[in-house]
Amino acid sequence: LESLAPMHIDRGVKATDMPVMGKVLFSVLTKALGSEFNEKAQEAWGWVWAWLTKSMTLTLETAGGHNSLVLKSWDICMDNYTEEDLGGMLFDTLFELAPSLKSMFARPRPVMAMKFVEMVSTLVSFVDDESKMIEQITWLGSRHVKYGAKPHHIPIMGQVLLTVLEQSCGDEWTDEMAEAWMDLWNASCSRM
């Protein structure tokens, strides 16, 4: 349900709407099923709706949190651009901001562009699972040390990421999204 919350919020749904939606659902079921919507069926649907209401209410109330903003903004980016385009933007922006880092990248631009998107997608996919995030970050960190990455490169890549995310989201980008991404980036890098 967590992945549905941003969509529902965008459409104006609030946790307080759940009782009304429940009445509508039961009205539709009563009309559609007639006598088959008996006491047992009503009891079963009542249980399902109570669970959905509780879960959706909790999800809607916490949907404005940082994790939700990261997921929502990444979805916007992926809707607006292909993975190849996003990766290319990350690659190009890195060398616009830090041309001296170009020598660290021996692989062709298309390969590195996809690696950048994979890295960001990994962060996003584990935004709600701290233990998996730590596992992935530890692995990424050890690989990046082999590539010659240094601690002072971390803020540069963070700026690259924010710049590209803002460009990719366009008018939908918010200060709250920027804050959520910086928190994710800083938490990830502190573990790397």
Side-chain angles (χ1 to χ4, degrees):
L1 291 176
E2 186 170 339
S3 63
L4 295 175
M7 176 193 64
H8 282 80
I9 288 171
D10 287 346
R11 289 180 170 79
V13 175
K14 297 177 185 72
T16 56
D17 296 333
M18 296 302 289
V20 173
M21 288 190 280
K23 287 179 184 177
V24 170
L25 173 67
F26 274 76
S27 175
V28 168
L29 288 170
T30 299
K31 288 178 183 169
L33 297 175
S35 62
E36 290 181 41
F37 194 54
N38 58 31
E39 191 175 324
K40 277 192 165 193
Q42 289 176 24
E43 184 180 328
W45 274 100
W47 181 88
V48 168
W49 187 253
W51 179 83
L52 280 172
T53 298
K54 183 178 179 180
S55 299
M56 189 58 108
T57 298
L58 179 63
T59 301
L60 287 169
E61 288 172 349
T62 60
H66 280 187
N67 292 355
S68 178
L69 291 170
V70 166
L71 293 167
K72 178 181 179 178
S73 56
W74 188 242
D75 284 345
I76 293 168
C77 292
M78 297 303 287
D79 287 345
N80 291 343
Y81 293 92
T82 66
E83 289 183 9
E84 293 84 7
D85 290 339
L86 278 172
M89 292 167 71
L90 288 162
F91 187 87
D92 295 342
T93 303
L94 175 61
F95 299 128
E96 286 170 16
L97 295 178
S100 63
L101 296 181
K102 205 171 217 174
S103 63
M104 291 178 62
F105 296 87
R107 291 184 171 173
R109 180 184 183 273
V111 172
M112 292 311 304
M114 289 309 294
K115 293 284 185 191
F116 285 158
V117 171
E118 287 173 13
M119 179 192 68
V120 177
S121 292
T122 298
L123 288 176
V124 172
S125 68
F126 296 122
V127 73
D128 289 322
D129 188 340
E130 189 173 357
S131 64
K132 290 251 191 241
M133 174 76 75
I134 291 169
E135 180 182 308
Q136 288 298 313
I137 293 300
T138 302
W139 178 79
L140 275 172
S142 65
R143 289 194 62 190
H144 281 78
V145 167
K146 291 178 188 175
Y147 300 144
K150 305 285 185 223
H152 65 273
H153 296 143
I154 292 171
I156 296 167
M157 197 61 203
Q159 185 57 50
V160 168
L161 180 60
L162 279 183
T163 299
V164 170
L165 290 167
E166 182 175 2
Q167 290 171 356
S168 301
C169 286
D171 292 341
E172 295 181 76
W173 184 250
T174 65
D175 291 341
E176 291 79 14
M177 287 177 180
E179 182 181 332
W181 275 96
M182 278 315 296
D183 286 352
L184 174 62
W185 182 256
N186 291 335
S188 300
C189 292
S190 70
R191 294 179 178 114
M192 196 181 280

